[in-house]
Each structure stands twice: as C-alpha cells, then as structure tokens.
Coordinates of all heavy atoms in Angstrom, one line a residue:
I1 N -68.2 4.5 139.8 CA -68.9 5.8 140.1 C -70.4 5.7 140.3 O -70.9 6.3 141.2 CB -68.6 6.8 139.0 CG1 -67.2 7.2 138.8 CG2 -69.4 8.1 139.1 CD1 -66.8 8.0 137.5
F2 N -71.1 4.9 139.5 CA -72.5 4.7 139.5 C -72.8 4.1 141.0 O -73.9 4.5 141.5 CB -73.0 3.7 138.5 CG -74.4 3.7 138.3 CD1 -75.1 4.7 137.6 CD2 -75.2 2.6 138.8 CE1 -76.5 4.6 137.5 CE2 -76.5 2.5 138.7 CZ -77.2 3.6 138.1
R3 N -72.1 3.2 141.5 CA -72.4 2.6 142.8 C -72.5 3.6 144.0 O -73.3 3.5 144.7 CB -71.4 1.5 143.1 CG -71.8 0.6 144.2 CD -70.8 -0.4 144.5 NE -70.3 -1.1 143.4 CZ -69.4 -2.0 143.4 NH1 -68.9 -2.4 144.5 NH2 -69.0 -2.5 142.3
F4 N -71.6 4.6 143.9 CA -71.5 5.6 144.9 C -72.3 6.9 144.7 O -72.2 7.7 145.5 CB -70.1 5.9 145.1 CG -69.2 4.7 145.5 CD1 -68.3 4.1 144.6 CD2 -69.4 4.1 146.7 CE1 -67.6 3.1 145.0 CE2 -68.7 3.0 147.1 CZ -67.7 2.5 146.2
A5 N -73.0 6.9 143.5 CA -73.7 8.1 143.3 C -75.1 8.3 143.9 O -75.7 7.1 144.4 CB -74.1 8.2 141.7
G6 N -75.5 9.5 144.1 CA -76.9 9.6 144.8 C -78.0 9.4 143.7 O -77.7 9.2 142.6
L7 N -79.2 9.6 144.2 CA -80.2 9.5 143.2 C -80.3 10.4 142.0 O -80.5 10.0 140.9 CB -81.6 9.5 144.0 CG -81.9 8.4 145.0 CD1 -83.3 8.8 145.8 CD2 -82.1 7.1 144.3
E8 N -80.1 11.6 142.3 CA -80.0 12.5 141.1 C -78.7 12.3 140.2 O -78.9 12.4 139.0 CB -79.9 14.0 141.7 CG -81.2 14.5 142.3 CD -82.3 14.6 141.2 OE1 -82.0 15.1 140.2 OE2 -83.4 14.0 141.6
Q9 N -77.7 11.9 140.8 CA -76.5 11.6 140.0 C -76.7 10.4 139.2 O -76.3 10.2 138.0 CB -75.3 11.4 140.9 CG -74.9 12.7 141.6 CD -73.9 12.5 142.7 OE1 -73.9 11.4 143.3 NE2 -73.0 13.4 143.0
K10 N -77.3 9.4 139.8 CA -77.7 8.2 139.0 C -78.6 8.5 137.8 O -78.5 7.9 136.8 CB -78.3 7.1 139.9 CG -77.3 6.4 140.8 CD -77.8 5.3 141.7 CE -76.8 4.7 142.5 NZ -77.4 3.6 143.3
K11 N -79.6 9.3 138.0 CA -80.6 9.7 137.1 C -79.8 10.4 135.8 O -80.0 10.0 134.7 CB -81.5 10.7 137.6 CG -82.8 11.0 136.9 CD -83.7 11.8 137.6 CE -84.6 12.6 136.9 NZ -85.5 13.5 137.6
F12 N -78.8 11.2 136.2 CA -78.0 11.8 135.1 C -77.1 10.8 134.4 O -77.1 10.9 133.2 CB -77.1 13.0 135.7 CG -76.1 13.5 134.8 CD1 -76.5 14.4 133.9 CD2 -74.8 13.1 134.9 CE1 -75.6 14.8 132.9 CE2 -73.8 13.7 134.0 CZ -74.2 14.5 133.1
L13 N -76.5 9.9 135.1 CA -75.7 8.9 134.5 C -76.5 8.0 133.6 O -75.9 7.6 132.5 CB -74.9 8.1 135.6 CG -73.8 8.8 136.4 CD1 -73.3 8.0 137.5 CD2 -72.8 9.3 135.4
K14 N -77.6 7.6 134.0 CA -78.5 6.8 133.1 C -78.9 7.5 131.8 O -78.9 7.0 130.8 CB -79.8 6.4 133.8 CG -79.5 5.4 134.9 CD -80.9 5.0 135.6 CE -80.6 4.0 136.7 NZ -81.9 3.7 137.4
L15 N -79.1 8.9 132.0 CA -79.4 9.7 130.8 C -78.2 9.8 129.9 O -78.2 9.8 128.7 CB -80.0 11.0 131.2 CG -80.3 12.0 130.0 CD1 -81.4 11.4 129.3 CD2 -80.7 13.3 130.6
Y16 N -77.1 10.0 130.5 CA -75.8 10.0 129.9 C -75.4 8.8 129.1 O -74.8 8.8 128.0 CB -74.7 10.5 130.8 CG -73.4 11.1 130.1 CD1 -73.5 12.3 129.6 CD2 -72.2 10.4 130.1 CE1 -72.5 12.9 128.9 CE2 -71.1 11.1 129.5 CZ -71.2 12.3 128.9 OH -70.1 12.9 128.3
L17 N -75.8 7.7 129.7 CA -75.5 6.3 129.0 C -76.3 6.3 127.6 O -75.8 5.7 126.7 CB -76.1 5.2 129.9 CG -76.2 3.8 129.3 CD1 -74.6 3.3 129.1 CD2 -76.8 2.9 130.3
K18 N -77.5 6.9 127.6 CA -78.2 6.9 126.3 C -77.4 7.5 125.1 O -77.4 6.9 124.0 CB -79.4 7.8 126.4 CG -80.4 7.3 127.4 CD -81.0 6.0 127.1 CE -81.9 5.6 128.2 NZ -82.2 4.2 128.3
R19 N -76.4 8.5 125.5 CA -75.6 9.0 124.3 C -74.7 7.9 123.9 O -74.5 7.8 122.6 CB -74.8 10.1 125.1 CG -73.8 10.8 124.1 CD -73.0 11.9 124.7 NE -72.0 12.2 123.8 CZ -70.8 12.4 124.0 NH1 -70.3 12.3 125.3 NH2 -69.8 12.8 123.2
Y20 N -74.1 7.1 124.7 CA -73.2 6.0 124.4 C -73.9 5.0 123.6 O -73.3 4.4 122.7 CB -72.4 5.5 125.5 CG -71.5 6.5 126.0 CD1 -71.6 7.2 127.2 CD2 -70.2 6.7 125.3 CE1 -70.7 8.1 127.6 CE2 -69.3 7.6 125.8 CZ -69.5 8.2 127.0 OH -68.6 9.2 127.4
E21 N -75.1 4.7 123.9 CA -75.9 3.7 123.2 C -76.2 4.2 121.9 O -76.1 3.5 120.9 CB -77.2 3.4 124.0 CG -77.1 2.6 125.2 CD -78.4 2.5 126.0 OE1 -79.3 3.3 125.8 OE2 -78.5 1.5 126.7
V22 N -76.6 5.5 121.7 CA -76.8 6.1 120.4 C -75.5 6.0 119.4 O -75.6 5.7 118.4 CB -77.5 7.4 120.4 CG1 -77.6 8.2 119.1 CG2 -78.9 7.3 121.0
D23 N -74.4 6.4 120.1 CA -73.1 6.3 119.4 C -72.8 4.9 119.0 O -72.4 4.7 117.7 CB -72.0 6.9 120.2 CG -72.0 8.3 120.4 OD1 -72.8 9.0 119.6 OD2 -71.4 8.8 121.3
L24 N -73.1 3.9 119.8 CA -72.9 2.6 119.4 C -73.8 2.1 118.2 O -73.3 1.5 117.2 CB -73.1 1.7 120.6 CG -73.0 0.1 120.3 CD1 -71.5 -0.2 120.0 CD2 -73.5 -0.7 121.4
I25 N -75.0 2.5 118.3 CA -75.9 2.2 117.1 C -75.5 2.8 115.8 O -75.5 2.1 114.9 CB -77.4 2.5 117.5 CG1 -77.8 1.6 118.7 CG2 -78.3 2.4 116.3 CD1 -79.1 2.1 119.3
N26 N -75.1 4.1 115.9 CA -74.6 4.8 114.7 C -73.3 4.0 114.1 O -73.2 4.0 113.0 CB -74.3 6.2 115.0 CG -75.5 7.0 115.1 OD1 -76.6 6.7 114.5 ND2 -75.4 8.1 115.8
Y27 N -72.5 3.7 115.1 CA -71.3 3.0 114.6 C -71.6 1.7 113.9 O -71.0 1.4 113.0 CB -70.3 2.8 115.9 CG -69.0 2.2 115.6 CD1 -68.1 2.9 114.8 CD2 -68.6 0.9 116.0 CE1 -66.9 2.3 114.5 CE2 -67.5 0.4 115.8 CZ -66.5 1.0 115.0 OH -65.3 0.4 114.9
C28 N -72.5 0.9 114.5 CA -72.9 -0.3 113.9 C -73.6 -0.1 112.4 O -73.4 -0.9 111.6 CB -73.8 -1.1 114.8 SG -72.9 -1.7 116.3
F29 N -74.3 1.0 112.4 CA -74.9 1.4 111.0 C -73.7 1.6 110.1 O -73.8 1.2 108.8 CB -75.8 2.6 111.1 CG -77.3 2.2 111.5 CD1 -77.7 2.7 112.7 CD2 -78.0 1.5 110.6 CE1 -79.1 2.4 112.9 CE2 -79.3 1.2 110.9 CZ -79.9 1.7 112.1
R30 N -72.7 2.4 110.5 CA -71.6 2.5 109.6 C -70.9 1.2 109.2 O -70.4 1.0 108.1 CB -70.5 3.4 110.3 CG -71.0 4.8 110.2 CD -69.8 5.8 110.6 NE -69.4 5.5 111.9 CZ -69.7 6.3 112.9 NH1 -70.5 7.4 112.8 NH2 -69.3 5.9 114.3
I31 N -70.8 0.3 110.2 CA -70.2 -1.1 109.9 C -71.1 -1.8 108.7 O -70.4 -2.3 107.8 CB -70.2 -1.9 111.1 CG1 -69.1 -1.3 112.1 CG2 -69.8 -3.4 110.8 CD1 -69.2 -1.9 113.4
V32 N -72.3 -1.7 108.9 CA -73.2 -2.4 107.9 C -73.1 -1.7 106.5 O -72.9 -2.3 105.5 CB -74.6 -2.4 108.4 CG1 -75.6 -2.9 107.3 CG2 -74.7 -3.4 109.6
F33 N -73.1 -0.3 106.5 CA -73.2 0.5 105.3 C -71.9 0.2 104.5 O -71.9 0.0 103.3 CB -73.3 1.9 105.5 CG -74.7 2.3 105.7 CD1 -75.1 3.2 106.7 CD2 -75.7 2.1 104.8 CE1 -76.4 3.7 107.0 CE2 -77.0 2.4 105.0 CZ -77.3 3.3 106.0
N34 N -70.7 0.1 105.2 CA -69.4 0.1 104.6 C -68.9 -1.4 104.5 O -67.7 -1.6 104.1 CB -68.4 0.9 105.3 CG -68.7 2.4 105.3 OD1 -69.2 2.9 104.4 ND2 -68.6 3.0 106.4
H35 N -69.7 -2.4 105.0 CA -69.4 -3.8 104.8 C -68.1 -4.1 105.5 O -67.2 -4.8 105.0 CB -69.4 -4.2 103.4 CG -70.7 -4.0 102.6 ND1 -71.8 -4.6 102.9 CD2 -70.9 -3.0 101.8 CE1 -72.8 -4.1 102.1 NE2 -72.3 -3.1 101.3
Y36 N -67.8 -3.6 106.7 CA -66.7 -3.8 107.5 C -66.8 -5.2 108.1 O -67.8 -5.7 108.4 CB -66.4 -2.9 108.6 CG -66.0 -1.5 108.0 CD1 -66.4 -0.3 108.7 CD2 -65.2 -1.3 107.0 CE1 -66.1 0.9 108.4 CE2 -64.9 0.0 106.5 CZ -65.3 1.1 107.1 OH -65.0 2.4 106.7
D37 N -65.6 -5.8 108.5 CA -65.7 -7.0 109.3 C -65.9 -6.6 110.7 O -66.1 -5.5 111.0 CB -64.4 -7.7 109.2 CG -64.1 -8.3 107.8 OD1 -65.0 -8.6 107.1 OD2 -62.9 -8.3 107.4
K38 N -65.9 -7.7 111.6 CA -66.1 -7.4 112.9 C -65.1 -6.5 113.5 O -63.9 -6.7 113.4 CB -66.1 -8.7 113.8 CG -66.3 -8.6 115.3 CD -66.3 -9.9 115.9 CE -66.3 -9.6 117.4 NZ -66.1 -10.9 118.2
P39 N -65.5 -5.3 114.2 CA -64.5 -4.4 114.6 C -63.9 -4.8 115.9 O -64.4 -5.6 116.7 CB -65.4 -3.1 114.9 CG -66.8 -3.7 115.1 CD -66.8 -4.9 114.3
F40 N -62.6 -4.5 116.0 CA -61.8 -5.0 117.2 C -62.0 -4.0 118.4 O -61.8 -4.3 119.5 CB -60.3 -5.1 116.8 CG -59.8 -3.7 116.5 CD1 -59.2 -2.9 117.5 CD2 -59.7 -3.3 115.2 CE1 -58.6 -1.7 117.1 CE2 -59.2 -2.1 114.9 CZ -58.6 -1.2 115.8
D41 N -62.5 -2.8 118.1 CA -62.5 -1.8 119.2 C -63.7 -1.8 120.1 O -63.9 -1.0 120.9 CB -62.3 -0.4 118.6 CG -63.4 -0.1 117.6 OD1 -64.0 -0.9 117.0 OD2 -63.5 1.1 117.3
L42 N -64.6 -2.9 119.9 CA -65.8 -3.0 120.7 C -65.6 -4.0 121.8 O -66.6 -4.0 122.7 CB -66.9 -3.2 119.8 CG -67.5 -2.1 118.9 CD1 -68.6 -2.6 118.1 CD2 -67.7 -0.9 119.7
D43 N -64.6 -4.7 121.8 CA -64.5 -5.7 122.9 C -64.4 -5.2 124.2 O -65.0 -5.8 125.2 CB -63.2 -6.6 122.7 CG -63.4 -7.4 121.3 OD1 -64.5 -7.7 121.0 OD2 -62.4 -7.8 120.8
Y44 N -63.7 -4.0 124.5 CA -63.5 -3.5 125.8 C -64.9 -2.8 126.3 O -65.2 -2.6 127.4 CB -62.5 -2.5 125.9 CG -62.7 -1.1 125.2 CD1 -63.2 -0.1 125.9 CD2 -62.5 -0.9 123.8 CE1 -63.5 1.1 125.3 CE2 -62.7 0.2 123.2 CZ -63.2 1.2 123.9 OH -63.5 2.4 123.2
K45 N -65.8 -2.5 125.4 CA -67.1 -2.0 125.7 C -68.2 -3.0 126.1 O -69.1 -2.7 126.6 CB -67.6 -1.0 124.5 CG -66.8 0.1 124.3 CD -67.5 1.0 123.2 CE -66.6 2.2 122.9 NZ -67.2 3.0 121.8
K46 N -67.9 -4.2 125.5 CA -68.9 -5.3 125.7 C -69.3 -5.4 127.0 O -70.5 -5.6 127.3 CB -68.4 -6.6 125.0 CG -69.4 -7.6 125.0 CD -68.8 -8.9 124.4 CE -69.7 -9.9 124.3 NZ -70.7 -10.2 125.4
E47 N -68.5 -5.6 128.0 CA -68.7 -6.0 129.4 C -69.7 -4.9 130.1 O -70.7 -5.2 130.7 CB -67.5 -6.1 130.2 CG -67.7 -6.5 131.6 CD -66.4 -6.6 132.4 OE1 -65.4 -6.9 131.8 OE2 -66.4 -6.5 133.7
F48 N -69.4 -3.6 129.7 CA -70.1 -2.5 130.2 C -71.5 -2.5 129.7 O -72.5 -2.4 130.4 CB -69.4 -1.1 129.9 CG -70.2 0.1 130.3 CD1 -70.2 0.5 131.6 CD2 -70.9 0.8 129.5 CE1 -70.9 1.5 132.0 CE2 -71.8 1.8 129.8 CZ -71.6 2.3 131.1
F49 N -71.6 -2.7 128.4 CA -73.0 -2.7 127.7 C -73.8 -4.0 128.2 O -75.0 -3.8 128.4 CB -72.9 -2.6 126.3 CG -72.7 -1.2 125.7 CD1 -71.6 -0.6 125.6 CD2 -73.9 -0.6 125.4 CE1 -71.5 0.7 125.2 CE2 -73.8 0.9 125.0 CZ -72.6 1.3 124.8
D50 N -73.1 -5.1 128.5 CA -73.8 -6.2 128.9 C -74.4 -6.0 130.3 O -75.5 -6.6 130.6 CB -73.0 -7.4 128.9 CG -72.6 -8.0 127.5 OD1 -73.3 -7.6 126.6 OD2 -71.7 -8.8 127.4
K51 N -73.7 -5.2 131.0 CA -74.1 -5.0 132.4 C -75.2 -3.9 132.6 O -76.2 -4.0 133.4 CB -72.9 -4.7 133.4 CG -73.2 -4.6 134.7 CD -71.9 -4.4 135.6 CE -72.3 -4.5 137.1 NZ -71.1 -4.4 137.9
Y52 N -75.0 -2.9 131.9 CA -75.8 -1.6 132.1 C -76.8 -1.3 131.0 O -77.6 -0.3 131.1 CB -75.0 -0.4 132.3 CG -74.2 -0.5 133.6 CD1 -72.8 -0.7 133.5 CD2 -74.8 -0.4 134.8 CE1 -72.0 -0.9 134.7 CE2 -74.0 -0.5 136.0 CZ -72.7 -0.8 136.0 OH -71.9 -0.8 137.1
S53 N -76.8 -2.0 129.9 CA -77.6 -1.6 128.7 C -78.5 -2.8 128.2 O -78.2 -3.9 128.5 CB -76.8 -1.1 127.6 OG -77.5 -0.8 126.5
Q54 N -79.5 -2.5 127.5 CA -80.3 -3.5 126.9 C -79.7 -4.0 125.6 O -80.1 -5.0 125.1 CB -81.8 -3.1 126.6 CG -82.6 -2.7 127.8 CD -83.9 -2.0 127.6 OE1 -84.1 -1.6 126.4 NE2 -84.8 -2.0 128.5
I55 N -78.8 -3.2 125.0 CA -78.3 -3.4 123.7 C -77.3 -4.5 123.8 O -76.4 -4.6 124.6 CB -77.7 -2.1 123.1 CG1 -78.8 -1.1 122.9 CG2 -76.9 -2.4 121.9 CD1 -78.2 0.3 122.4
S56 N -77.3 -5.4 122.8 CA -76.3 -6.5 122.7 C -75.3 -6.2 121.6 O -75.7 -6.1 120.5 CB -77.1 -7.9 122.4 OG -76.0 -8.8 122.1
I57 N -74.1 -5.9 121.9 CA -73.1 -5.6 121.0 C -72.8 -6.8 120.1 O -72.8 -6.6 118.8 CB -71.8 -5.2 121.7 CG1 -72.0 -3.8 122.4 CG2 -70.6 -5.1 120.7 CD1 -70.7 -3.4 123.1
E58 N -72.9 -7.9 120.5 CA -72.8 -9.1 119.7 C -73.7 -9.3 118.7 O -73.4 -9.6 117.5 CB -72.8 -10.5 120.6 CG -71.5 -10.7 121.4 CD -70.3 -10.8 120.4 OE1 -70.3 -11.4 119.5 OE2 -69.2 -10.2 121.0
K59 N -75.0 -9.0 118.8 CA -76.1 -9.0 117.9 C -75.9 -7.8 116.8 O -76.0 -8.1 115.6 CB -77.4 -8.8 118.6 CG -77.9 -10.1 119.2 CD -79.3 -9.8 119.8 CE -80.0 -11.0 120.5 NZ -81.3 -10.7 120.9
L60 N -75.5 -6.7 117.4 CA -75.4 -5.7 116.4 C -74.2 -5.7 115.4 O -74.4 -5.5 114.3 CB -75.3 -4.3 117.2 CG -76.5 -3.8 118.0 CD1 -76.3 -2.5 118.7 CD2 -77.7 -3.8 117.2
I61 N -73.1 -6.2 116.0 CA -72.0 -6.3 115.1 C -72.0 -7.4 114.1 O -71.2 -7.5 113.0 CB -70.6 -6.2 115.8 CG1 -70.5 -7.5 116.8 CG2 -70.5 -5.0 116.6 CD1 -69.1 -7.5 117.5
T62 N -72.8 -8.4 114.4 CA -72.9 -9.5 113.4 C -74.1 -9.2 112.3 O -74.3 -10.1 111.4 CB -73.4 -10.8 114.1 OG1 -74.5 -10.6 114.9 CG2 -72.1 -11.3 115.1
S63 N -74.7 -8.1 112.4 CA -75.7 -7.7 111.4 C -75.2 -7.5 110.1 O -74.1 -6.8 109.9 CB -76.5 -6.5 111.9 OG -77.1 -6.6 113.1
R64 N -75.7 -8.0 109.1 CA -75.2 -7.8 107.7 C -76.1 -6.9 106.8 O -75.6 -6.6 105.7 CB -75.2 -9.3 107.0 CG -74.1 -10.1 107.6 CD -72.7 -9.5 107.4 NE -71.8 -10.1 108.4 CZ -70.8 -9.5 109.0 NH1 -70.7 -8.3 108.6 NH2 -70.0 -10.0 109.8
S65 N -77.3 -6.5 107.3 CA -78.1 -5.6 106.6 C -78.7 -4.8 107.5 O -78.8 -4.9 108.7 CB -79.2 -6.4 105.8 OG -80.1 -7.0 106.7
I66 N -79.3 -3.6 107.0 CA -80.0 -2.6 107.8 C -81.2 -3.2 108.5 O -81.5 -3.0 109.8 CB -80.4 -1.4 106.9 CG1 -79.2 -0.7 106.4 CG2 -81.2 -0.4 107.8 CD1 -78.2 -0.2 107.5
G67 N -81.9 -4.0 107.8 CA -83.1 -4.8 108.4 C -82.7 -5.7 109.5 O -83.4 -5.7 110.5
E68 N -81.6 -6.4 109.3 CA -81.1 -7.3 110.4 C -80.7 -6.5 111.6 O -81.0 -6.9 112.8 CB -80.1 -8.1 109.9 CG -79.6 -9.2 110.8 CD -78.5 -10.1 110.2 OE1 -78.3 -10.0 109.0 OE2 -77.9 -10.8 110.9
L69 N -80.0 -5.3 111.4 CA -79.6 -4.5 112.4 C -80.9 -4.0 113.2 O -80.9 -4.0 114.5 CB -78.8 -3.4 112.0 CG -78.1 -2.5 113.1 CD1 -76.8 -3.0 113.3 CD2 -78.1 -1.0 112.6
V70 N -81.8 -3.5 112.5 CA -83.1 -3.0 113.1 C -83.7 -4.1 114.0 O -84.3 -3.9 115.1 CB -84.0 -2.4 112.1 CG1 -85.3 -2.1 112.8 CG2 -83.5 -1.2 111.5
D71 N -83.8 -5.3 113.4 CA -84.4 -6.5 114.1 C -83.7 -6.9 115.3 O -84.3 -7.2 116.3 CB -84.5 -7.8 113.1 CG -85.5 -7.6 112.1 OD1 -86.5 -6.7 112.2 OD2 -85.3 -8.3 111.1
N72 N -82.4 -6.7 115.3 CA -81.5 -6.9 116.6 C -81.6 -5.8 117.7 O -81.4 -6.1 118.8 CB -80.1 -7.0 116.1 CG -79.7 -8.4 115.4 OD1 -80.4 -9.3 115.6 ND2 -78.8 -8.3 114.6
L73 N -82.3 -4.8 117.3 CA -82.7 -3.8 118.3 C -84.1 -4.0 118.9 O -84.6 -3.2 119.6 CB -82.6 -2.4 117.7 CG -81.2 -1.9 117.4 CD1 -81.3 -0.6 116.5 CD2 -80.5 -1.6 118.6
Q74 N -84.7 -5.0 118.5 CA -86.1 -5.2 118.9 C -86.5 -5.2 120.4 O -87.5 -4.7 120.7 CB -86.7 -6.6 118.2 CG -88.1 -6.8 118.1 CD -88.5 -7.9 117.2 OE1 -87.7 -8.8 117.1 NE2 -89.6 -7.9 116.7
S75 N -85.7 -5.8 121.2 CA -85.9 -5.7 122.6 C -85.5 -4.5 123.3 O -85.5 -4.5 124.5 CB -85.4 -6.9 123.2 OG -84.0 -7.0 123.1
T76 N -85.2 -3.4 122.6 CA -84.7 -2.2 123.2 C -85.7 -1.0 122.9 O -86.6 -1.1 122.0 CB -83.3 -1.8 122.6 OG1 -83.5 -1.5 121.3 CG2 -82.4 -3.0 122.8
E77 N -85.5 0.1 123.5 CA -86.3 1.2 123.3 C -86.0 1.9 121.9 O -86.8 2.7 121.5 CB -86.1 2.3 124.4 CG -84.7 2.8 124.4 CD -84.5 3.7 125.7 OE1 -85.2 4.7 125.8 OE2 -83.7 3.3 126.5
Y78 N -84.9 1.4 121.3 CA -84.5 2.1 120.0 C -85.1 1.5 118.8 O -85.1 1.9 117.7 CB -83.0 2.0 119.8 CG -82.2 2.7 120.9 CD1 -81.7 2.1 121.9 CD2 -82.2 4.1 121.0 CE1 -81.0 2.7 123.0 CE2 -81.6 4.8 122.0 CZ -81.0 4.0 123.1 OH -80.4 4.7 124.1
Y79 N -85.9 0.3 119.0 CA -86.5 -0.3 117.9 C -87.7 0.6 117.5 O -87.9 0.8 116.3 CB -87.1 -1.6 118.4 CG -87.8 -2.5 117.3 CD1 -87.0 -3.0 116.4 CD2 -89.1 -2.6 117.4 CE1 -87.7 -3.7 115.4 CE2 -89.7 -3.4 116.4 CZ -89.0 -3.9 115.3 OH -89.5 -4.7 114.4

C-alpha cells in the first residue's frame, strides 16, 4: 500500500505507524514487568519493523529491566 500511496497518504501512513511503534513499546514494557520469556507473536512483525521503523524488536524483547529497555530505545525518537 505504501509504495502506491501519494504524498499525503504516505504522510498519514507514517503517522499511523507511530501508533504501532508505541503499542510495541508498551507490549515490551509488559514483558519486562511480568518477566515473560521471549514472546512468539512478534516474529511476524519483525520484518515490517526492520524495514520501516527505527525500533529493533530483537533488542526490545531481550531487555531484562526497564533501564535496559530504555537504553535499547536510545537510537529512536522514543528515547
């Protein structure tokens, strides 16, 4: 969809991507708070986030503390 979108549509889609990034960060905070193992349901999102986002899912899901999670967001706008 993004490839065929016009400039205004791409602008909207980039903004809409922010929602998914924030949802991912919140999900990773829950993983750290509840001491879950590596979740299985993020594998299908990894390719999309690697291509269109600054966020590294691999770094976030391997975080073991809140400080480490925040440090793993260092190269993004969410830091």
